[in-house]
Amino acid sequence: MTYEVEQSGTPTMAEVYREIMSRSPEHDFDPSLDRMKKVLDYLGSPQETFRVVHITGTNGKGSTARMTESLCRAYGLRTGLYTSPHVESVTERICIDGQRLGDDRFVETWLEVKDFIDMVDRESVAQGGPRMSFFEVLTTMAIWAFADAPVDVAIVEVGMGGQWDATNVLDADAAVIGPVDMDHMQWLGDTVEDIAREKAGIIKPNSTVIVGCQPHEHEVMPILLDAAQEVGAQAVERDGYELEISGRAPAVGGQVATFTTPYGVYEQIPVSMFGEHQAHNALAAIAAAEVVIPVSGQLDSEVVSQALSTVKVPGRIEVVRRSPTIIVDGGHNENAITALRNAIEENFDFTDLVGVVSMMKDKEVETVLGIMEPVLSKLIVTQNSWNSRVMPVDDLEKIAISVFGSDRVIREDAMPDAIQAAVDAVDSEDDMGVGYGHGVLIFGSFVTAGDARILLKEHNNAELLNSKEDRAAGKHTEFSEDTGVYDDETIDAMSEEEFDKAINDVEYLDATLADIVADNPADSTDSTDVR
């Protein structure tokens, strides 16, 4: 299905990303599907070549999507997975058979759809409309990549809302609606009822609707049920009614739960993620997989166990280091932060937990900090790398002091300094020097989580590719592309915002995080650089 594309002057990954980033951002969307419908029509309707699990909800979309994908792949289906936002690299968003697109394939996909996107851009602008947005372009690329693979089933996470989201050109076989709560109110509406109506837009004729556990059930459930009936959905399965968790217990590395669906009971299934909310996400994933996996009746419990015991989701209660334990989480609204706090209290025995927080300025910061206040001994406020959206540290500090008191709030303007300060704080309380019961929690935004993951990631030391004699002689090593070094071509291709982000990353990598390794030698080895 791949189109032949002229390869002379093939752009770099950085150039392609700069072009996509030059478009309207995904949080600034135009309520219309016309451009998406037109570009897919020009491409020959690739969205009709695979089955679809479409997932919306205020929280839990990414985790549910990854668990559903793992279940489908465990049954031998070729899978496409489309999620957002990305934590470190835009290529995370598009995965085939559990593997993200490589840079080369990402560029190829862009080249294969670019001319059609240009056509839609010209027509839209001529009519007084906008060009296709950042998210519309990525969604087009994902759908095209899935059809080209080809995949048997695509598991697609809504970007925001549902009805007017670019992904809603897909007709879901399974429409999953997770918890509906207050978030993105400036785009989706000021009430939970308005937000529920937007999210109900992914329900299509003949789809099976899977409704997750609802924190505002009395307000939300009637809206979802009415929408399902109005469009002619095939069936509705609700968490707490047709779907149930009949038993659950924390376990090493996650939990074990027993799930009931209309097809049967799945007993003592290991789920490799923390928190009751992840058990409910797993239940929704099983129900969705039952719709699209071509078997009669209940799925094989052993296959389900294997699939759900291996799923890891970056930036969701993710333990990235030990001694002291460092956890990163991208939660940024009331529902997600409540789930985070409950999971921390259930699964970790912290006597001293220091928080590091940076949030976007349009979020309910005081509410989030109020939820976390009882479990944090201190809070370090800082600023992540998305300069145009992040709450200035001055403002964040004021709110934090109003919640925690001035004696429990520390300000560090740079993220590396904030993480170092948090580690120093827990080390100072660790009389045994082993890290047990002491931890750092970095939270407040997926950008914050992504920055922290970059800073704390271990990388192979390229110098060790040299022989011992060459290293002793000081022989220069050409660093491979995965070391995070920016070459001149990449820098030249960057936009101003990308360049600023890159400078921040470089400053992070050169900053005081190296001291964390020096102060915690048990976590470092001669064969790794910790960044």
Side-chain angles (χ1 to χ4, degrees):
M1 188 173 179
T2 303
Y3 290 154
E4 292 295 327
V5 178
E6 176 61 46
Q7 293 299 314
S8 61
T10 300
T12 64
M13 176 69 192
E15 290 170 333
V16 170
Y17 187 53
R18 181 177 64 178
E19 162 58 24
I20 298 173
M21 283 289 292
S22 72
R23 297 168 177 271
S24 297
E26 54 197 313
H27 62 274
D28 182 17
F29 73 106
D30 178 51
S32 170
L33 295 177
D34 291 345
R35 291 176 299 281
M36 283 300 304
K37 290 178 179 178
K38 188 168 289 187
V39 75
L40 293 181
D41 183 53
Y42 288 157
L43 286 167
S45 300
Q47 76 279 12
E48 296 178 0
T49 65
F50 44 78
R51 305 197 78 187
V52 175
V53 176
H54 202 186
I55 304 173
T56 189
T58 303
N59 297 294
K61 299 185 295 293
S63 298
T64 303
R66 288 176 184 271
M67 286 190 271
T68 306
E69 188 277 335
S70 185
L71 286 163
C72 292
R73 184 157 40 88
Y75 260 88
L77 300 181
R78 293 210 71 189
T79 60
L81 176 66
Y82 182 51
T83 58
S84 61
H86 60 272
V87 178
E88 294 182 25
S89 168
V90 70
T91 59
E92 297 169 22
R93 297 183 180 225
I94 306 173
C95 298
I96 295 174
D97 293 333
Q99 300 296 317
R100 70 170 70 179
L101 289 191
D103 286 0
D104 290 345
R105 181 60 190 134
F106 190 91
V107 171
E108 289 171 4
T109 303
W110 162 250
L111 292 175
E112 289 162 5
V113 302
K114 179 181 182 300
D115 289 345
F116 301 96
I117 289 170
D118 289 342
M119 290 169 58
V120 174
D121 283 346
R122 287 193 296 270
E123 293 173 10
S124 179
V125 171
Q127 297 170 6
R131 294 194 304 159
M132 292 185 69
S133 70
F134 169 86
F135 191 68
E136 286 173 331
V137 168
L138 284 178
T139 302
T140 301
M141 291 173 64
I143 292 172
W144 178 253
F146 296 160
D148 186 59
V151 303
D152 300 306
V153 58
I155 299 91
V156 176
E157 176 185 349
V158 164
M160 182 167 60
Q163 182 176 2
W164 300 113
D165 189 75
T167 63
N168 206 30
V169 290
L170 299 169
D171 290 333
D173 295 277
V176 181
I177 303 177
V180 177
D181 211 335
M182 302 300 291
D183 201 7
H184 303 301
M185 287 85 79
Q186 59 269 55
W187 296 287
L188 303 181
D190 293 329
T191 69
V192 72
E193 291 88 350
D194 289 339
I195 295 172
R197 292 185 190 97
E198 285 290 325
K199 296 185 184 299
I202 72 166
I203 301 173
K204 302 294 174 60
N206 299 316
S207 61
T208 296
V209 184
I210 295 151
V211 182
C213 188
Q214 295 300 325
H216 306 281
E217 181 175 346
H218 293 300
E219 295 84 0
V220 168
M221 195 67 76
I223 293 170
L224 302 182
L225 294 176
D226 287 348
Q229 183 176 12
E230 182 178 343
V231 304
Q234 180 171 293
V236 177
E237 298 177 6
R238 299 163 294 171
D239 190 327
Y241 297 87
E242 295 81 9
L243 306 170
E244 290 186 300
I245 299 174
S246 54
R248 190 185 71 85
V252 175
Q255 59 193 300
V256 175
T258 296
F259 305 104
T260 302
T261 76
Y263 291 97
V265 178
Y266 300 86
E267 295 187 3
Q268 296 294 293
I269 303 296
V271 178
S272 60
M273 286 182 285
F274 299 109
E276 182 179 3
H277 64 294
Q278 292 291 12
H280 287 282
N281 293 337
L283 177 59
I286 292 171
E290 288 177 335
V291 174
V292 295
I293 293 174
V295 300
S296 178
Q298 182 178 353
L299 304 179
D300 186 286
S301 290
E302 290 188 8
V303 177
V304 171
S305 294
Q306 178 186 2
L308 295 184
S309 66
T310 58
V311 177
K312 295 294 183 185
V313 185
R316 276 80 163 183
I317 317 181
E318 180 185 13
V319 178
V320 295
R321 287 180 68 84
R322 299 283 186 182
S323 187
T325 299
I326 302 180
I327 300 169
V328 297
D329 189 86
H332 52 263
N333 57 45
E334 181 176 355
N335 186 274
I337 290 295
T338 299
L340 169 63
R341 173 180 162 177
N342 291 341
I344 293 292
E345 291 179 323
E346 179 180 70
N347 293 277
F348 297 89
D349 189 21
F350 289 122
T351 57
D352 180 31
L353 181 63
V354 175
V356 176
V357 65
S358 176
M359 296 185 66
M360 300 307 172
K361 55 191 173 187
D362 60 340
K363 299 302 178 183
E364 301 293 326
V365 176
E366 186 172 2
T367 298
V368 166
L369 297 186
I371 293 169
M372 294 305 300
E373 186 273 333
V375 298
L376 299 177
S377 53
K378 293 184 181 68
L379 182 70
I380 298 173
V381 296
T382 189
Q383 192 164 310
N384 67 41
S385 59
W386 197 344
N387 294 328
S388 62
R389 283 194 68 198
V390 70
M391 174 171 281
V393 69
D394 289 342
D395 298 338
L396 182 57
E397 181 183 26
K398 293 174 185 175
I399 298 173
I401 289 174
S402 72
V403 175
F404 282 78
S406 59
D407 59 324
R408 293 170 60 199
V409 175
I410 300 170
R411 169 178 169 166
E412 294 288 354
D413 291 3
M415 180 79 75
D417 296 332
I419 297 176
Q420 180 66 65
V423 172
D424 290 344
V426 296
D427 281 350
S428 68
E429 300 295 327
D430 183 9
D431 296 332
M432 300 291 291
V434 296
Y436 182 78
H438 301 270
V440 173
L441 173 64
I442 305 168
F443 69 101
S445 162
F446 279 111
V447 177
T448 302
D451 289 349
R453 292 179 91 248
I454 290 172
L455 290 167
L456 294 165
K457 184 183 294 184
E458 294 184 352
H459 290 268
N460 291 331
N461 187 336
E463 292 295 338
L464 294 181
L465 297 175
N466 288 340
S467 67
K468 181 177 179 181
E469 292 76 14
D470 287 340
R471 294 200 303 274
K475 181 177 178 180
H476 176 68
T477 296
E478 292 294 333
F479 285 85
S480 61
E481 61 179 305
D482 63 353
T483 60
V485 176
Y486 294 100
D487 57 30
D488 291 341
E489 180 183 21
T490 301
I491 292 173
D492 289 342
M494 288 180 176
S495 66
E496 183 177 347
E497 182 175 351
E498 290 174 306
F499 183 78
D500 289 342
K501 176 70 163 61
I503 291 298
N504 284 340
D505 288 346
V506 172
E507 289 175 349
Y508 285 169
L509 301 181
D510 290 338
T512 57
L513 284 181
D515 294 338
I516 296 178
V517 181
D519 292 342
N520 298 275
D523 286 336
S524 63
T525 70
D526 291 338
S527 63
T528 58
D529 284 335
V530 178
R531 306 163 68 185

